[in-house]
Amino acid sequence: MAVSARPLRRTSRSASTAVVDVSVLVPAKDEAGNLALFLELCEATFRGESARYEVVVVDDGSTDGSWALLQELRVQYAFLKPVRHRAQRGIAEALRTGYLQSHGRVLVFYPADLQFKPEDIPRLVNPILAGESDMVTGYKQGKYEKAFVSGIYNKLSRTLFHVPVRDLNNVKAYRREIMAALPMRPDFHRYMIVMAAAQGFTVTEVPVPLYARHSGKSKFGFSRIPIGVLDMLAVWFELKFGQKPLLAFGMLGVALFAIGVLSGLGALVWLAITGQGQRWVWTVIQTCLMLGSIFFATGLLGEQIAQQRSEVRELRRELDELASAQQGEDADDVTPGVTAGVDRDRR
């Protein structure tokens, strides 16, 4: 699982960087029929909350006029910050872009299709703001078209990763440092809970009602199943052996090498006793010795790569600390009494 250092995000000395508590990250692909109502419901929800919110909508290469609509809506809603991908990059990249453009200390992953209503966002956020949890995920309540597939996925995930939640791939809220600590990979958002729990963050869940889509159609089909299974295995291998690849490849190499040596000794003993050689045994011996050497060398190479990744993680952590310190200095410069807004600087 490749890890890339995230760039140090420039912070603006505007009031918005200091007054946002929660950033709602909304990946949107061809959601023009839902965005206006979604933001209207967000405004109604935020009006009654003491926490200060912003909504970062990431237009992920839409072709239905979503971007033009967002430009109109940003004039109406001060908490809205639209960001655009000119070509579709996927939900994981959209969340990363939203994270880099956001300012909240709590982040929320929420879709724009209105299958989940904005009125439930505070239920995800409040346990984190109260210091009761590091991450809160929603548990679907209601009719779900892909319930069978989702059930299999969640059961396999719980078996492999031992995470005590029923629904791993759902709306969720989490501390900003969780996003900063996660490695970047396609579809990583499906395993945010797993990776966060593996790093020691606490995870809880709350029931969240599920509704029918307000407009548009689902972007996912059954073709995602094999991809999801392979991703699951990749995450499992990363968590199990990512820090010590020699433990996997080296032990496998040693085992094959040992089988080859023992087979050779056994063949020699058999030859000495009976005077008969077994040609197929020598083929097995050569194969085991060659594969064992290759696997062991792969493990050594993996150890060098793991060391480089550790250094990159440490560098990224230091950069994040510098960014946080800079944000703290900017917050000290903000004049008291300034109301919440959205930083509209084009980066």
Side-chain angles (χ1 to χ4, degrees):
M1 186 180 294
V3 177
S4 59
R6 293 186 176 89
L8 181 62
R9 176 165 49 84
R10 295 180 180 272
T11 55
S12 169
R13 291 183 177 270
S14 64
S16 61
T17 60
V19 300
V20 175
D21 296 312
V22 180
S23 296
V24 182
L25 311 183
V26 184
K29 166 64 175 173
D30 294 333
E31 299 288 359
N34 296 314
L35 287 170
L37 180 57
F38 178 83
L39 292 169
E40 179 183 338
L41 295 175
C42 283
E43 182 183 45
T45 299
F46 301 160
R47 191 182 300 122
E49 295 295 317
S50 58
R52 291 152 297 191
Y53 286 77
E54 69 174 355
V55 177
V56 183
V57 179
V58 183
D59 177 9
D60 191 33
S62 296
T63 57
D64 66 343
S66 292
W67 181 246
L69 176 61
L70 286 170
Q71 297 308 300
E72 298 175 6
L73 293 172
R74 74 184 301 179
V75 178
Q76 182 178 354
Y77 300 106
F79 58 77
L80 172 62
K81 182 175 185 180
V83 185
R84 186 185 188 189
H85 289 166
R86 294 187 178 275
Q88 184 176 7
R89 301 183 190 175
I91 293 178
E93 278 292 330
L95 287 176
R96 178 178 181 273
T97 298
Y99 156 70
L100 294 174
Q101 296 293 327
S102 66
H103 300 107
R105 58 191 176 95
V106 176
L107 306 177
V108 181
F109 166 37
Y110 227 72
D113 57 15
L114 292 174
Q115 285 194 280
F116 301 95
K117 297 297 179 62
E119 64 191 41
D120 293 310
I121 292 176
R123 298 178 58 235
L124 297 170
V125 170
N126 289 338
I128 301 176
L129 293 177
E132 299 171 359
S133 182
D134 297 318
M135 172 179 274
V136 179
T137 180
Y139 175 60
K140 298 183 186 73
Q141 299 287 299
K143 184 178 180 180
Y144 185 44
E145 294 179 357
K146 300 183 181 67
F148 177 73
V149 175
S150 179
I152 294 177
Y153 161 79
N154 282 299
K155 186 175 180 60
L156 287 175
S157 296
R158 289 194 300 270
T159 302
L160 282 177
F161 305 117
H162 308 291
V163 179
V165 295
R166 288 167 287 184
D167 198 344
L168 275 75
N169 186 27
N170 201 353
V171 292
K172 54 184 69 72
Y174 42 94
R175 296 189 185 279
R176 188 177 193 87
E177 51 265 35
I178 290 180
M179 191 71 164
L182 293 183
M184 282 303 305
R185 54 167 291 123
D187 291 332
F188 84 98
H189 62 284
R190 297 175 180 272
Y191 301 97
M192 288 179 66
I193 295 174
V194 170
M195 292 185 284
Q199 296 185 31
F201 293 103
T202 57
V203 180
T204 57
E205 65 178 349
V206 296
V208 178
L210 179 70
Y211 303 89
R213 283 185 63 96
H214 175 261
S215 177
K217 60 181 180 179
S218 174
K219 313 298 189 300
F220 303 99
F222 286 97
S223 62
R224 302 286 301 180
I225 296 176
I227 298 175
V229 172
L230 293 176
D231 282 339
M232 184 186 303
L233 294 176
V235 171
W236 175 83
F237 185 87
E238 165 69 18
L239 295 178
K240 195 77 172 178
F241 303 109
Q243 301 300 316
K244 296 182 178 180
L246 188 59
L247 185 62
F249 293 102
M251 293 301 294
L252 182 59
V254 169
L256 288 171
F257 200 86
I259 291 173
V261 172
L262 293 176
S263 298
L265 292 175
L268 289 175
V269 172
W270 181 263
L271 179 62
I273 295 175
T274 66
Q276 298 178 354
Q278 302 291 328
R279 184 178 299 275
W280 65 269
V281 174
W282 299 110
T283 302
V284 171
I285 294 170
Q286 294 173 24
T287 302
C288 288
L289 293 179
M290 290 175 57
L291 289 178
S293 300
I294 291 173
F295 275 116
F296 193 82
T298 301
L300 292 176
L301 180 61
E303 286 290 327
Q304 299 301 311
I305 295 174
Q307 177 63 29
Q308 294 297 319
R309 294 175 65 194
S310 296
E311 294 176 1
V312 169
R313 286 194 183 100
E314 180 62 22
L315 178 60
R316 189 179 67 188
R317 184 187 64 79
E318 293 177 1
L319 289 174
D320 287 340
E321 289 180 353
L322 288 173
S324 298
Q326 181 64 43
Q327 282 187 331
E329 293 176 3
D330 291 344
D332 292 338
D333 292 338
V334 174
T335 304
V338 178
T339 57
V342 176
D343 183 6
R344 302 188 189 277
D345 295 340
R346 302 294 294 178
R347 292 179 172 80

